[in-house]
Amino acid sequence: MKKIGVFTSGGDSPGMNACIRAVVRSAGFLGVEVIGIKRGYQGMIDGEFVNLENKDVANIIQNGGTILKTARCQAFLTPEGRKIAYDNIVKQGIEGLVCIGGNGTYTGAGIFNKEFNIPSIGAPGTIDNDLYGTDYTIGFDTAVNTALAAIDKIRDTADAHNRVFFIEVMGRDSGFIALNSALSGGAEGVLVPEILGDYDSLMVHFSNKTRRNKEFSIIVVAEGETHGSTFELADKFKKQFINCDVRVSILGHIQRGGSPTANDRILASQLGNAAVENLLAGKTNMCVGVVNHEIVLTNFDEAVNNKKNIDKNLWHLVNILSY
Ligand code: F6P
């Protein structure tokens, strides 16, 4: 291969720039040209290509967002859209792709690979950490630390007013950010989609006579919690504990931005490099990840069809440590 393409797709995550940098410089080191594709699959269809040389990725390792921009592309879901994208890729002389993103990105890459046999390797970029085939995704650590910084601040005002705060963190279908930010933030409870009876357990916990007479509480709720929206859960709680002064805070997209942590920059650098080396070694239709500190490859189908489980011990630990 003499020329490869790289793009970011789906929700951005801190560390995507560090990964693009690693792809460009690893390829350059091996004498391979890199074309950046802007706005993910959308830019592939619209023909938005840029040459990326070593100097183009200087001074970006510390930045959140993605210099290549990103998009959630509907047109790529159609065979016609994918055909246009393929024709554009061929026109550019691109012989292989590095796709940085989450589940949707991998699904698209797998279909594209099957239809047009274009060699592709994925690198896991999503704050949600919900990708099978890697212990951690690029951006997760930063998002947890951003949520944690916000929780620490909310704790001050919760303490000052003796309030119960329901704090919603991101995680469309998963509780990874919620669990890690709750445990590190000393929360009194955490609600995640993976644990079905978690709301009832929280009620039991608050009713328990052995519970210390705490004046304020932090309860972290994953966006994807299935028992209801965070506002609905807070209302329900208020009806049961009428003496509690309850507030809701939705942290939202601040969790997607900001300078990546050292861990995310290191992970992004390792995985960007591994993506290029594996692509050039002839591997395709797979994503790179880190499992037990080792770099591993997982087939796109396997990655998108399996669910990565949360560590339920962490959920128990939040409850044990809040007594
Ligand atoms: O996938 C990452 C994520 O931040 C989820 O946690 C969240 O549900 C979703 O993206 C939000 O997407 P958008 O920015 O498109 O609204």
Side-chain angles (χ1 to χ4, degrees):
M1 262 179 220
K2 282 282 154 228
K3 200 191 262 188
I4 63 172
V6 60
F7 63 94
T8 49
S9 166
D12 61 312
S13 67
M16 279 184 162
N17 280 328
C19 192
I20 295 167
R21 172 181 178 269
V23 168
V24 172
R25 297 217 166 148
S26 301
F29 183 75
L30 297 166
V32 172
E33 248 182 88
V34 180
I35 302 286
I37 304 162
K38 294 230 143 158
R39 297 190 303 119
Y41 294 116
Q42 192 61 55
M44 223 184 260
I45 292 172
D46 296 343
E48 294 182 62
F49 299 96
V50 283
N51 284 323
L52 289 179
E53 293 175 16
N54 281 1
K55 64 174 171 38
D56 300 314
V57 292
N59 200 23
I60 64 167
I61 195 168
Q62 76 281 19
N63 294 334
T66 156
I67 58 161
L68 289 177
K69 311 268 184 175
T70 187
R72 301 193 193 275
C73 176
Q74 292 302 314
F76 199 77
L77 299 176
T78 66
E80 298 76 25
R82 293 193 291 274
K83 175 73 173 72
I84 298 171
Y86 176 68
D87 290 344
N88 284 337
I89 293 283
V90 172
K91 242 186 263 165
Q92 289 292 321
I94 294 171
E95 299 163 275
L97 292 170
V98 175
C99 337
I100 308 166
N103 222 283
T105 308
Y106 285 3
T107 305
I111 296 171
F112 203 44
N113 184 270
K114 272 184 206 125
E115 282 177 354
F116 299 104
N117 203 20
I118 174 130
S120 312
I121 294 283
T126 166
I127 62 165
D128 284 359
N129 199 32
D130 59 347
L131 278 179
Y132 185 85
T134 190
D135 289 341
Y136 297 104
T137 56
I138 298 161
F140 170 65
D141 187 59
T142 309
V144 168
N145 278 287
T146 301
L148 178 61
I151 290 169
D152 286 348
K153 289 188 171 81
I154 291 172
R155 172 180 281 278
D156 290 345
T157 178
D159 181 11
H161 283 268
N162 287 347
R163 283 175 170 160
V164 175
F165 263 86
F166 280 68
I167 304 177
E168 182 183 296
V169 298
M170 274 188 166
R172 188 174 16 214
D173 307 305
S174 63
F176 290 98
I177 298 177
L179 263 189
N180 282 31
S181 60
L183 185 57
S184 54
E188 195 155 357
V190 56
L191 302 175
V192 294
E194 291 89 345
I195 296 193
L196 293 180
D198 56 1
Y199 184 79
D200 296 336
S201 303
L202 188 72
M203 294 305 102
V204 172
H205 173 64
F206 268 82
S207 316
N208 201 320
K209 289 201 180 65
T210 62
R211 178 176 171 263
R212 275 191 290 127
N213 193 19
K214 290 187 182 168
E215 293 183 319
F216 74 95
S217 292
I218 302 287
I219 294 153
V220 177
V221 185
E223 175 192 9
E225 165 67 20
T226 48
H227 290 106
S229 74
T230 306
F231 281 104
E232 286 163 357
L233 293 172
D235 276 351
K236 210 161 128 185
F237 180 92
K238 174 83 190 144
K239 285 189 186 119
Q240 193 156 349
F241 299 97
I242 47 171
N243 294 323
C244 285
D245 191 10
V246 182
R247 291 290 185 279
V248 171
S249 181
I250 312 285
L251 298 189
H253 285 77
I254 63 161
Q255 295 159 95
R256 285 250 292 268
S259 182
T261 58
N263 280 339
D264 272 332
R265 297 182 201 191
I266 292 166
L267 183 67
S269 301
Q270 285 179 301
L271 293 182
N273 171 262
V276 169
E277 289 192 348
N278 281 291
L279 186 64
L280 298 181
K283 298 280 185 335
T284 179
N285 203 27
M286 292 175 167
C287 49
V288 289
V290 170
V291 174
N292 293 329
H293 307 285
E294 300 279 340
I295 302 233
V296 298
L297 286 166
T298 306
N299 194 276
F300 279 140
D301 281 343
E302 195 186 342
V304 297
N305 292 325
N306 281 288
K307 189 167 166 57
K308 183 161 92 191
N309 292 319
I310 57 160
D311 181 353
K312 292 197 173 154
N313 292 323
L314 296 187
W315 184 81
H316 286 296
L317 196 52
V318 170
N319 296 319
I320 291 169
L321 299 184
S322 64
Y323 267 89

